[in-house]
Amino acid sequence: MKLIDALVTTLRDWDLGYIFGVSGANIEHLHDAVHRLGDDKLEAVLTKSEVGAAFMADARARVHNTLGVCCSTSGGGMMNLAVGIAESYAESVPVLALIGQTATGFDGRGGFQDSSGLGRTVHATAMWRSMTKYTARVDDPSSFWTHLEKAVRASLSGRKGPSALLFPRDIYDLEVGPKPNSFPASIDELMAPEFTVAPSVLRQFLETIRNAKKPVMMIGTGVSRCRNPEQVVQFAIEAGIPVVTTMGNTGAFPHEHELFLGAVGVAGHPSAHHYLNEEADVLIAVGTGLNIMTRGPLEKCLNRSQVIAVNLDPFEIQGAVPGASVIQSDAGEVFRHLRNMFFQHTFYHGKPDDYLLKRFVPKIAETEDSNNIPAEALLQSQAISILQDYLPQNGHVFFDAGNCAATSMHHLKIPDNTTTTIALGMGGMGYAIAAACGAQLGQENTRSMVLCGDGAFLMLGFEIHTAVELNLPILFVVFNNQKHGMCVTRQEIFFEGRKTCTDYGQLDVESIARGLGPAQSLWTGKASTRDELNELLENYHEHFSNGPGVLELNLPYEEVPPFTPFLDKGAQTYVVPTPMRKNSKLTLEDAA
């Protein structure tokens, strides 16, 4: 069997579904093989950039707990793909990158896009090794099966992450022999977790939780990528342990559940931060490395409370909280075993007495004259309050970088069984636009919503064209303030208001989007008032919710985002209304 046929039929039979990428001279064999051998089980998705391809593969892996696959040609295509793979590496997302290379005979001999590392050429293998768990250049066809299995096994085992295989153009048609008898028939065989935690350690862990007076469980992004994420959530519910989520996945625990205290981190909820800092005596950190975005507002808690972490990689946690105890294993397996023990020794802690979830009241930026803002003008917080009723049910919400993401994840109540995703590893703008396409593909009876800024739209907005071509039910909501809002806010606070390299000229998002597809294939709208926004949302969901849409929000007046480094200690808060608390005095709409 030829190498390229062996590669494609294996990925097809592993039921991975899609390969995201842009074709080119040194990767076109891959796309031809998918066309010949995909059998409607493996599809090549043409993205508009390799950055978008890597982001789509990343989100597909995150949201569906699988292996994402992307590809690129050599040269600039390879360099673009690296942007997204770096995000996957930082956030421990299993992605397989397939990268074409110049034919072997041209290495160091002036080959076009040569990246052999010979002479003044980029050393592709060294570059990819710096951002993957496994990288190999397949120069010998007899090594193909070994490299493929090692790459995928590395991506899916332990702390997950990306792998890269580089293929010189002249190797695709060489014979690799039949698939070895021992070769994994499914990716499930490659992702079975090793569980080596001693029963005595688990019993001590359970006793610590039982004896705690005010324990809190923090559920991080690693939980969604463990073997059995539901085991973590179910244990918290059965044992009555209050839960906080992190910015990386605010929807990891049902927001309507009485045990939900809110989200933590620099865009988290002040009531959750206060409870952890002042009340909690045991913090159970599951699937989170407690990076600075998470632990920033929680230094007091981390210094005064007992911290027990469940994580496949203790490195970050031990650096962030040197006194933490770490159970190094797959979180789902730990809590599956813990639940078996728990059923023999039940206990229940329950919701903290009189706990009220609070958020920050939206505040007009000091640079704006609040007395001269027209009453009909649409503010960011008002738009988010209106969007709340239109969030996908059992679908997906994607937050991009910047002020709009911080404000949205702070104020939105995520529906049950709806995933939430944001790229906080490298934090690149535009991730959410491409990511939604990768996650939504093949998902019947679900919808996605993207919440991004105009800067993100300028970065990767053309990936909306991919959603149009695939007729994906994604509503791209673009918060347009004609600037990089987070940077402007920092300049106002830390640089005495000197704004530079953050504002740009008039940008008409709807007009640009209108050129990405005919009216019957792409819905567009622009709102400058609350009435317009309500009307447009009704129109989209009534007439076009099964297809892609772009909704531009014209936001000329700035609000300070609920980002703790930007807020005074006495910043005003409001109580979040719940079905059990009908008479709450203040809602987001009131506060805005």
Side-chain angles (χ1 to χ4, degrees):
M1 186 185 303
K2 293 181 179 179
L3 182 148
I4 195 61
D5 293 357
L7 174 61
V8 166
T9 53
T10 300
L11 298 179
R12 178 199 67 195
D13 295 344
W14 279 346
D15 197 29
L16 296 177
Y18 305 95
I19 299 177
F20 303 94
V22 180
S23 195
N26 291 327
I27 200 65
E28 58 194 9
H29 289 73
L30 174 64
H31 290 112
D32 177 70
V34 173
H35 179 77
R36 291 185 290 106
L37 302 170
D39 293 341
D40 295 324
K41 296 179 181 178
L42 184 67
E43 178 182 346
V45 176
L46 173 60
T47 63
K48 303 306 164 289
S49 70
E50 293 86 1
V51 179
F55 284 162
M56 289 183 197
D58 176 284
R60 182 151 196 85
R62 291 194 202 211
V63 173
H64 302 295
N65 203 6
T66 186
L67 176 73
V69 186
C70 57
C71 68
S72 77
T73 190
S74 50
M78 173 187 73
M79 303 306 289
N80 287 340
L81 196 73
V83 173
I85 295 301
E87 169 66 32
S88 300
Y89 187 62
E91 282 289 273
S92 305
V93 182
V95 172
L96 176 63
L98 308 172
I99 304 148
Q101 296 287 277
T102 302
T104 308
F106 290 103
D107 288 349
R109 301 180 59 219
F112 181 59
Q113 297 181 331
D114 178 9
S115 56
S116 62
L118 300 175
R120 293 187 62 185
T121 66
V122 170
H123 197 314
T125 304
M127 181 189 78
W128 284 103
R129 281 177 179 162
S130 73
M131 66 184 80
T132 61
K133 293 187 66 182
Y134 183 90
T135 288
R137 173 171 158 142
V138 186
D139 288 307
D140 180 356
S142 66
S143 68
F144 165 75
W145 291 110
T146 299
H147 282 314
L148 179 59
E149 180 175 354
K150 284 184 175 180
V152 177
R153 191 177 294 279
S155 283
L156 294 169
S157 61
R159 179 171 179 173
K160 298 178 182 179
S163 293
L165 293 177
L166 285 68
F167 298 97
R169 180 182 171 85
D170 52 328
I171 202 171
Y172 291 122
D173 288 330
L174 298 184
E175 292 292 326
V176 296
K179 185 181 297 184
N181 293 331
S182 61
F183 199 81
S186 70
I187 62 168
D188 284 343
E189 297 179 31
L190 293 161
M191 60 192 304
E194 296 181 8
F195 185 75
T196 57
V197 181
S200 60
V201 172
L202 290 179
R203 283 194 293 270
Q204 181 59 50
F205 184 24
L206 192 62
E207 280 302 301
T208 301
I209 298 172
R210 177 206 296 274
N211 295 329
K213 294 180 179 179
K214 295 183 178 181
V216 175
M217 181 182 291
M218 181 187 295
I219 297 181
T221 56
V223 170
S224 64
R225 291 191 286 282
C226 73
R227 186 68 169 178
N228 295 295
E230 68 281 356
Q231 297 287 341
V232 181
V233 172
Q234 285 303 312
F235 178 81
I237 292 173
E238 290 159 358
I241 302 174
V243 172
V244 295
T245 57
T246 64
M247 292 168 56
N249 187 359
T250 59
F253 191 83
H255 282 205
E256 293 284 5
H257 200 285
E258 67 171 7
L259 291 172
F260 180 63
L261 302 186
V264 296
V266 291
H269 298 124
S271 54
H273 297 155
H274 181 271
Y275 186 81
L276 281 167
N277 285 325
E278 304 298 333
E279 303 289 340
D281 61 336
V282 175
L283 175 63
I284 307 157
V286 188
T288 172
L290 293 171
N291 62 34
I292 192 62
M293 297 288 280
T294 298
R295 74 176 187 268
L298 300 174
E299 289 297 338
K300 186 175 181 180
C301 168
L302 299 177
N303 288 327
R304 60 174 286 277
S305 303
Q306 181 178 0
V307 179
I308 305 173
V310 180
N311 205 302
L312 283 163
D313 185 355
F315 176 79
E316 284 181 290
I317 298 164
Q318 292 172 340
V321 188
S325 301
V326 181
I327 298 174
Q328 186 175 359
S329 189
D330 178 90
E333 289 300 290
V334 167
F335 283 91
R336 181 173 69 84
H337 286 273
L338 211 61
R339 287 181 71 205
N340 290 335
M341 292 182 176
F342 172 75
F343 289 141
Q344 301 171 24
H345 309 280
T346 57
F347 55 85
Y348 191 86
H349 285 285
K351 175 188 174 184
D353 293 337
D354 301 322
Y355 180 84
L356 297 175
L357 176 58
K358 295 180 180 179
R359 300 174 181 148
F360 290 113
V361 173
K363 177 185 175 183
I364 299 295
E366 292 183 2
T367 53
E368 306 286 357
D369 183 355
S370 59
N371 293 322
N372 289 324
I373 296 177
E376 68 275 10
L378 182 64
L379 298 176
Q380 180 172 260
S381 58
Q382 295 169 341
I384 291 168
S385 182
I386 294 170
L387 287 165
Q388 174 68 63
D389 292 336
Y390 293 91
L391 293 179
Q393 304 292 321
N394 304 310
H396 314 293
V397 176
F398 294 86
F399 302 104
D400 211 88
N403 283 356
C404 65
T407 307
S408 297
M409 67 174 62
H410 184 86
H411 288 293
L412 288 175
K413 181 183 293 184
I414 304 301
D416 290 354
N417 302 314
T418 291
T419 70
T420 53
T421 307
I422 185 172
L424 292 177
M426 302 301 288
M429 287 192 294
Y431 170 89
I433 297 173
C437 298
Q440 183 61 54
L441 263 172
Q443 296 293 290
E444 297 182 1
N445 303 316
T446 66
R447 295 185 298 106
S448 294
M449 181 182 288
V450 171
L451 302 166
C452 69
D454 44 345
F457 178 81
L458 288 171
M459 290 277 184
L460 280 177
F462 279 0
E463 292 299 350
I464 294 172
H465 188 266
T466 306
V468 174
E469 289 188 307
L470 299 171
N471 192 35
L472 300 178
I474 305 171
L475 179 60
F476 300 90
V477 182
V478 184
F479 293 69
N480 187 0
N481 58 2
Q482 311 290 335
K483 58 176 71 76
H484 295 303
M486 183 69 77
C487 296
V488 169
T489 303
R490 292 180 59 82
Q491 289 171 342
E492 291 289 349
I493 295 173
F494 303 118
F495 293 90
E496 300 177 338
R498 295 184 298 275
K499 290 184 285 188
T500 179
C501 203
T502 52
D503 293 316
Y504 35 79
Q506 184 70 29
L507 172 67
D508 190 334
V509 170
E510 186 195 16
S511 294
I512 297 172
R514 184 66 278 145
L516 298 178
Q520 66 269 26
S521 300
L522 176 65
W523 178 96
T524 65
K526 179 192 293 188
S528 299
T529 69
R530 281 170 285 182
D531 288 342
E532 289 175 353
L533 178 54
N534 274 306
E535 183 178 344
L536 286 168
L537 286 168
E538 284 288 340
N539 179 271
Y540 170 76
H541 285 85
E542 183 176 350
H543 300 291
F544 212 88
S545 61
N546 291 324
V550 177
L551 175 56
E552 177 184 4
L553 306 180
N554 183 28
L555 304 168
Y557 302 102
E558 287 295 297
E559 292 176 293
V560 180
F563 200 70
T564 53
F566 299 162
L567 300 174
D568 298 330
K569 288 186 177 180
Q572 186 181 1
T573 63
Y574 71 96
V575 175
V576 178
T578 69
M580 299 177 64
R581 200 160 55 242
K582 295 288 187 181
N583 297 321
S584 296
K585 294 181 179 180
L586 190 63
T587 66
L588 176 57
E589 185 69 15
D590 297 328

